[in-house]
Amino acid sequence: MRIQEIETYTVKIPLKKPFKTALRTVIEAESVYVKVTTDNGISGYGEAPPTHVITGDSLHSIDYAINQVYKPLLIGKSIDQLEEVMQILQQAMIRNTSAKAALDMAVYDCFAQQTGLPLYKLLGGYRDELETDYTVSVNEPSEMADDAQQYIEDGFNLLKIKVGKDEIAKDIERIKAIREKVGDQPTIRLDANQGWSVKEAIYAIRKMEDLNLNIELVEQPVKYHDLKGLKQVTEQTETLIMADEAVFTSIDARRVLEMGAADLINIKLMKAGGIHEALKINRLAEAFGVSCMVGSMIETKLGISAAAHFAASQPNITRFDFDAPLMLKEDLINGGVTYERNHIYFSKDAGLGIHSIHEQSSKREEQ
Ligand SMILES: [Mg+2]
């Protein structure tokens, strides 16, 4: 089964409500879709959103990497030799993890379709359904409490609260307001997106512990490159600390794990460069007794389907942050995973189960 064609499309979809973190505000989701066609008539799909402030990738850099760098190297290559294809993705460019991820998931989609199995079954098939959290954007405390309450009414039991945008006292106010509104029952996890200093993080987390706000975990409290700082926060608080922006690839994961810098790791295909590398990170973490969450960027149901298939396949992945498609006004994907409130289900279709992508997506002009 050889790769015959690689095509890209760009899509733009407005969000229902602006997505706000310590790093950015997003009002419209943008992505590059990729379609890989093989000589035996199989089509595999992938997606890469540009996340300037995290991966550094842009729409144009993703498109260039796929069409100008990888396409000439991959046309004619056999997907049956999956490891050779993965080696090309890995070696032809450093970084550019979003473009790599889009191609990686499309290739895995073809590979699984060839076997007749849904991808998550082929990768290990550990779970048949997932429960996702829902993200509360960082805003004024009262607005965040109202949003949190709404998501609970919509059927979510896990809330991921974005903090770290301004002063610490306000973040504590935010969490107090949310806890007061939603009660003790819902699980609350925080994501500071690198917005705190080491001292602020230790102060804020201890304060929330003293106030019994019952925080399940805190994601990436400090700057992505400050592993010593991350370790300090992990050691000096009781709450679980999760590395997100600090871990892109298995090399980053190894450093964090060897240092004991975090209790948990958030794996995203867009940081890792796809499923192949994400599997490595997860295995490595498992060997260190560290469980993982799988999350995403602002991705449509295409990218999320790939992430969900990977996440469901592995027992060491115990947390799932897959709310992004629920934030979008439109769904351009026919097939893929299915949402029922906070639960995600897989079809019995082979591969990712993507049947087609909606016409809204604009095919890239040949240059
Ligand atoms: Mg995060």
Side-chain angles (χ1 to χ4, degrees), residues 160 162 191 193 219-220 244-245 266 268 293 321:
K160 172 160 159 173
K162 292 290 190 181
D191 189 354
N193 287 106
E219 242 182 86
Q220 199 63 49
D244 181 6
E245 289 94 323
N266 184 351
K268 292 175 184 161
M293 174 156 94
D321 178 19

Side-chain angles (χ1 to χ4, degrees), residues 29-81:
E30 286 182 314
S31 264
V32 176
Y33 282 178
V34 59
K35 180 182 178 184
V36 169
T37 311
T38 65
D39 59 0
N40 59 347
I42 289 176
S43 297
Y45 295 94
E47 172 179 2
T51 313
H52 305 168
V53 293
I54 298 173
T55 61
D57 298 329
S58 66
L59 272 184
H60 282 91
S61 72
I62 293 166
D63 188 80
Y64 185 90
I66 294 173
N67 286 296
Q68 306 299 322
V69 179
Y70 285 119
K71 186 173 168 174
L73 296 171
L74 292 173
I75 297 286
K77 283 281 175 292
S78 170
I79 289 180
D80 301 336
Q81 281 166 277

Side-chain angles (χ1 to χ4, degrees), residues 5 16 36 115 172 205 241 245 262 267 353:
E5 182 59 291
K16 292 173 187 164
V36 169
T115 70
I172 295 168
I205 296 167
I241 304 299
E245 289 94 323
I267 302 174

Side-chain angles (χ1 to χ4, degrees), residues 6 79 151 236 278 357:
I6 297 175
I79 289 180
Y151 304 144
Q236 293 180 35
I357 50 184

Side-chain angles (χ1 to χ4, degrees), residues 113-165:
Q113 285 183 58
Q114 169 100 319
T115 70
L117 288 171
L119 180 58
Y120 82 101
K121 292 277 190 194
L122 182 67
L123 296 175
Y126 187 70
R127 295 172 215 275
D128 288 310
E129 60 174 89
L130 306 175
E131 182 182 347
T132 182
D133 57 17
Y134 203 96
T135 303
V136 178
S137 280
V138 57
N139 282 302
E140 287 302 305
S142 61
E143 182 177 351
M144 291 176 75
D146 289 345
D147 287 346
Q149 178 63 26
Q150 184 60 54
Y151 304 144
I152 297 297
E153 282 169 20
D154 292 344
F156 293 87
N157 303 313
L158 308 165
L159 297 173
K160 172 160 159 173
I161 316 293
K162 292 290 190 181
V163 291
K165 199 171 164 64

